[in-house]
């Protein structure tokens, strides 16, 4: 049984061709630390000659999110033509990381920083709270060289 089939079964999802193909695309993009929109996943499927509709891609990504296979992010920088922020997806790795989003290119850069993590816990504690979860997104622009 392929790794994709095992992942889908482990998540409680039936193994279907669209689910396997979409999971393969997300896994292929994972090494590049790429965050894909549903439209980008759809275009990758079309480029590969797959007959999967955009509605199916949205439905499968939502199912993957509910099953804990992917994480959805809505970054203010990556807006569609109507000006609405669009969702991007990445495989849920179980490891916490933060993001930087380039305002010029919409590139998403993942990073971890122990000092930032420690300080966030301290700030919550100083205010009488326990930090349960957080999301940190830095919006950046490349400096002129």
């Amino acid at each position: 049984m392929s790794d994709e089939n095992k992942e889908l079964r482990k998540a409680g999802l039936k193994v279907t061709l669209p689910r396997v193909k979409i999971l393969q695309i997300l896994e292929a993009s994972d090494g590049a630390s790429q965050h894909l929109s549903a439209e980008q996943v759809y275009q990758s499927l079309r480029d590969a000659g797959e007959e999967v509709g955009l509605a199916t891609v949205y439905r499968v990504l939502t199912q993957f999110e509910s099953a804990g296979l992917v994480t959805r992010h809505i970054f203010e920088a990556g807006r569609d033509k109507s000006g609405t922020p669009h969702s991007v997806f990445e495989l849920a790795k179980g490891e916490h990381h933060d993001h930087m989003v380039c305002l010029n290119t919409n590139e998403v850069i993942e990073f971890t920083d122990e000092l930032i993590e420690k300080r966030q816990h301290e700030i919550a504690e100083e205010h009488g709270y326990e930090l349960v979860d957080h999301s940190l997104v830095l919006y950046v622009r490349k400096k002129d060289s």
Side-chain angles (χ1 to χ4, degrees):
M1 186 181 323
S2 76
D3 290 342
E4 289 86 9
N5 290 0
K6 289 177 187 173
E7 284 296 315
L8 290 170
R9 290 186 194 282
K10 188 172 133 186
L13 295 170
K14 183 178 173 185
V15 176
T16 65
L17 189 58
R19 287 181 181 147
V20 169
K21 295 294 182 185
I22 291 169
L23 190 54
Q24 287 173 341
I25 288 169
L26 292 169
E27 287 173 342
S29 74
D30 189 46
S33 183
Q34 194 172 12
H35 298 65
L36 300 176
S37 68
E39 292 81 4
Q40 289 170 311
V41 171
Y42 172 70
Q43 191 57 53
S44 294
L45 288 166
R46 296 206 27 131
D47 292 348
E50 299 295 333
E51 298 282 332
V52 177
L54 183 57
T56 299
V57 172
Y58 275 106
R59 185 172 55 255
V60 168
L61 288 172
T62 300
Q63 291 167 346
F64 284 3
E65 181 184 19
S66 295
L69 288 174
V70 300
T71 303
R72 177 190 311 243
H73 301 283
I74 302 173
F75 298 126
E76 289 298 316
R79 293 177 180 270
D80 64 20
K81 292 173 186 152
S82 71
T84 304
H86 69 274
S87 298
V88 292
F89 299 85
E90 69 174 316
L91 289 175
K93 302 172 196 142
E95 306 163 353
H96 173 76
H97 59 271
D98 296 309
H99 297 93
M100 289 190 300
V101 179
C102 177
L103 295 172
N104 295 338
T105 65
N106 289 333
E107 178 187 10
V108 178
I109 301 107
E110 295 178 354
F111 71 94
T112 57
D113 185 293
E114 290 181 29
L115 186 59
I116 290 173
E117 296 303 314
K118 180 181 177 204
R119 189 64 188 120
Q120 290 174 117
H121 284 275
E122 290 171 353
I123 291 168
E125 185 73 27
E126 288 167 9
H127 287 86
Y129 294 94
E130 173 189 3
L131 182 62
V132 177
D133 193 13
H134 77 277
S135 174
L136 175 64
V137 181
L138 305 175
Y139 294 96
V140 299
R141 250 187 214 103
K142 277 268 193 211
K143 289 183 175 183
D144 292 333
S145 300

